[in-house]
């Protein structure tokens, strides 16, 4: 009997061990299967379409770096992937270049063929409009980082085009607020002869009317095609400035509208009478400044410098913000549906942090990003607009640019 009992107990022990081992094996397999399901990665492809050609500037320091804008987008891709790995999202960037006067439709189609459903666009207004409706019909969202034309946010606005770059009217309003706060209300306007110069001049005129500045005189500087980067050409333009500003009425500030880079850089310190210069030269309004340190800006600047080997410019910050906006929206909606992303970005719940002292949101009436404008010279940030005292019932940021009661936009 003892031997029989021992054999029986041994049989029960072995049976229990085999069942337990099988159970543990099945239990071990279950988490593996679940983990495999959790690791399914959502790939979010972002296109970057830029119109690029090397261009002459009056100062060698103003020559844009070859990767202007693209560098900012790449840094943002890295930032998106840092958080994306925790929620199984992976971001990538496809960069395509065309000439400034080229047709953008074919290049845009190539990005669509690669599966890009979000496109960062550094294009002219004409090029942007040529692809906007195609993108809308294909369910693609465009983030404009290059064109500052107000008409893209007004009579030519589109429901699928979000504008990161500030408008000319926003830049002009930011400058006008500061000049009025400083009690420098009398301005002379000097503008170039190219279309973009005229548009900037229009924005400055509008800002003067809006904030009480007085443009006491205007003069157009004609582009005669002088070889600006030769010794004789540079000397000729510099010598012209003194005579060009000789017969002006009494004023506080010279406003310069020279987006085409013909004469503006040569205005400071070369005028007939000693006066402050602002606009596209002197004190310049922009969406970012390479010396911005406030609100965590030094952290962004250091990280960008480490990654790219140079300082961050306005277009880099705009591209960074565009890519981060996609990253923020896809994280919050937990998916890659452009319709849901668009709805979320336009909702009250969306905001993006961009090292400017407050979270940034889009204006619902024209999809322009609200943002502070930095006023700076070549070395430092002088001030930030909106200026203290300029109040608004919704957001002080809406004192810059076209406000909702003024808008001509009907999103379609």
């Amino acid at each position: 009997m003892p031997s029989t009992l021992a054999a029986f107990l041994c049989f029960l022990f072995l049976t229990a061990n085999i069942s337990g081992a099988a159970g543990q094996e099945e239990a071990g397999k279950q988490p593996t299967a679940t983990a495999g399901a959790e690791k399914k990665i959502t790939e979010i492809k972002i296109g970057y379409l830029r119109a690029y050609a090397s261009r002459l500037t009056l100062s060698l320091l103003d020559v844009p770096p070859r990767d202007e804008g693209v560098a900012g987008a790449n840094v943002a891709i890295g930032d998106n992937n840092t958080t994306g790995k925790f929620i199984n999202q992976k971001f990538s960037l496809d960069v395509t270049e065309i000439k400034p006067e080229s047709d953008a439709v074919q290049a845009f189609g190539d990005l669509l063929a690669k599966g890009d459903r979000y496109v960062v666009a550094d294009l002219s207004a004409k090029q942007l409009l040529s692809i906007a409706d195609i993108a809308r019909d294909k369910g693609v969202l465009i983030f404009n980082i290059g064109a500052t034309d107000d008409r893209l946010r007004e009579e030519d606005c589109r429901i699928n085009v979000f504008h990161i770059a500030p408008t000319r009217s926003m830049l002009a309003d930011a400058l006008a607020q500061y000049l009025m706060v400083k009690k420098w209300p009398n301005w002379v306007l000097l503008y170039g002869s190219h279309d973009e110069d005229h548009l900037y001049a229009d924005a400055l005129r509008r800002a003067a009317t809006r904030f009480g500045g007085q443009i006491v005189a205007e003069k157009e500087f004609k582009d005669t095609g002088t070889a600006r980067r030769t010794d004789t050409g540079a000397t000729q333009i510099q010598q012209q400035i003194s005579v060009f500003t000789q017969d002006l009425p009494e004023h506080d500030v010279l406003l310069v509208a020279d987006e085409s880079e013909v004469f503006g850089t040569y205005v400071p310190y070369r005028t007939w009478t000693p006066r402050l210069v602002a606009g596209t030269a002197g004190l310049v309004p922009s969406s970012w400044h390479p010396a911005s340190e406030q609100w965590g800006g030094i952290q962004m600047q250091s990280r960008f410098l480490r990654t790219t080997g140079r300082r961050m410019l306005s277009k880099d910050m705009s591209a960074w913000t565009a890519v981060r906006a996609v990253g923020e929206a896809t994280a919050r909606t937990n998916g890659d549906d452009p319709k849901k992303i668009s709805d979320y970005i336009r909702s009250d719940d969306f905001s993006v942090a961009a090292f400017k002292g407050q979270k940034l949101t889009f204006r619902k009436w024209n999809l322009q990003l609200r943002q502070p404008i930095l006023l700076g010279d070549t070395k430092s940030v002088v001030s930030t607009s909106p200026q203290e005292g300029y109040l608004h019932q919704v957001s002080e940021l809406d004192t810059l640019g076209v406000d909702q009661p003024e808008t001509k936009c009907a999103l379609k």
Side-chain angles (χ1 to χ4, degrees):
M1 286 294 293
S3 60
T4 304
L5 180 60
F8 179 70
L9 292 174
C10 182
F11 172 77
L12 289 178
F13 177 76
L14 291 172
T15 303
N17 278 346
I18 292 170
S19 300
Q24 288 177 19
E25 184 178 356
E26 290 301 316
K29 287 180 180 179
Q30 186 62 35
T32 302
T34 303
E38 290 175 352
K39 289 183 178 179
K40 182 179 178 182
I41 303 297
T42 300
E43 292 193 19
I44 300 165
K45 298 171 68 65
I46 300 176
Y48 192 115
L49 181 56
R50 69 187 305 220
Y52 175 82
S54 59
R55 62 183 178 88
L56 295 178
T57 58
L58 295 181
S59 169
L60 288 172
L61 297 179
D62 293 333
V63 176
R66 183 67 177 79
D67 62 348
E68 183 186 23
V70 176
N74 278 321
V75 171
I77 289 290
D79 293 343
N80 284 356
N81 282 329
T82 296
T83 54
K85 64 184 178 182
F86 297 106
I87 53 176
N88 302 322
Q89 292 181 347
K90 182 179 179 181
F91 295 81
S92 61
L93 188 72
D94 295 317
V95 180
T96 296
E97 287 185 0
I98 60 174
K99 297 295 183 183
E101 302 303 322
S102 297
D103 184 2
V105 174
Q106 180 59 53
F108 180 69
D110 293 341
L111 289 176
L112 296 187
K114 294 178 181 179
D116 300 317
R117 300 202 287 175
Y118 312 94
V119 174
V120 178
D122 182 8
L123 302 171
S124 68
K126 180 181 178 181
Q127 289 170 323
L128 186 64
L129 287 174
S130 73
I131 64 172
D133 293 341
I134 299 172
R136 181 193 58 205
D137 296 342
K138 297 287 186 180
V140 173
L141 304 183
I142 296 175
F143 294 83
N144 168 33
I145 67 163
T148 58
D149 303 65
D150 281 85
R151 71 186 181 100
L152 293 176
R153 291 80 164 170
E154 295 304 309
E155 56 267 30
D156 290 327
C157 65
R158 297 292 188 274
I159 197 168
N160 61 313
V161 181
F162 295 88
H163 302 280
I164 308 296
T167 61
R168 290 185 179 93
S169 64
M170 291 171 67
L171 299 174
D173 287 353
L175 180 59
Q177 285 188 12
Y178 179 71
L179 298 181
M180 296 305 294
V181 165
K182 295 296 291 182
K183 302 189 186 309
W184 300 330
N186 299 312
W187 311 332
V188 166
L189 175 59
L190 309 180
Y191 58 95
S193 55
H194 294 271
D195 290 344
E196 57 267 31
D197 306 329
H198 287 192
L199 291 172
Y200 200 105
D202 287 342
L204 290 170
R205 295 184 189 103
R206 174 186 175 276
T209 301
R210 194 177 194 196
F211 296 106
Q214 297 294 320
I215 297 179
V216 297
E218 297 187 12
K219 293 190 78 172
E220 181 181 45
F221 190 99
K222 294 286 187 181
D223 184 1
T224 58
T226 303
R228 288 172 278 167
R229 289 291 285 277
T230 66
D231 290 341
T232 54
T235 301
Q236 179 181 341
I237 293 177
Q238 292 183 61
Q239 291 175 343
Q240 288 176 347
I241 297 300
S242 181
V243 176
F244 185 68
T245 58
Q246 182 175 359
D247 299 322
L248 298 176
E250 183 59 31
H251 58 283
D252 302 308
V253 181
L254 271 173
L255 297 182
V256 176
D258 179 36
E259 288 190 13
S260 51
E261 275 280 316
V262 172
F263 73 99
T265 298
Y266 294 145
V267 174
Y269 311 111
R270 297 174 178 89
T271 55
W272 187 265
T273 55
R275 291 295 181 269
L276 299 169
V277 176
T280 60
L283 184 65
V284 178
S286 59
S287 61
W288 186 249
H289 193 285
S292 180
E293 297 182 83
Q294 289 184 293
W295 311 302
I298 191 66
Q299 183 267 341
M300 179 78 249
Q301 301 276 25
S302 299
R303 189 154 51 85
F304 187 86
L305 179 61
R306 245 185 352 260
T307 303
T308 67
R310 64 171 178 81
R311 296 293 178 185
M312 191 176 206
L313 304 178
S314 289
K315 194 167 288 185
D316 295 311
M317 174 51 81
S318 291
W320 183 89
T321 305
V323 174
R324 281 295 299 126
V326 175
E328 178 70 17
T330 54
R332 298 295 180 181
T333 59
N334 195 29
D336 183 27
D337 181 351
K339 175 65 166 62
K340 290 182 179 179
I341 299 302
S342 177
D343 290 344
Y344 179 72
I345 290 177
R346 289 186 285 118
S347 74
D348 293 332
D349 296 327
F350 175 82
S351 66
V352 60
F355 305 95
K356 294 184 180 180
Q358 54 188 297
K359 292 181 178 180
L360 309 185
T361 60
F362 284 93
R363 293 170 178 160
K364 292 183 180 181
W365 60 90
N366 64 3
L367 305 186
Q368 169 64 53
L369 185 71
R370 296 180 175 97
Q371 57 191 293
I373 300 298
L374 309 184
L375 306 171
D377 58 13
T378 57
K379 294 291 186 182
S380 66
V381 177
V382 175
S383 185
T384 303
S385 289
Q387 298 292 313
E388 186 175 353
Y390 286 94
L391 305 179
H392 192 277
Q393 63 270 30
V394 177
S395 168
E396 281 73 24
L397 294 175
D398 287 342
T399 64
L400 306 178
V402 177
D403 200 3
Q404 187 167 11
E406 308 168 281
T407 189
K408 299 175 184 176
C409 174
L411 293 170
K412 56 184 179 181

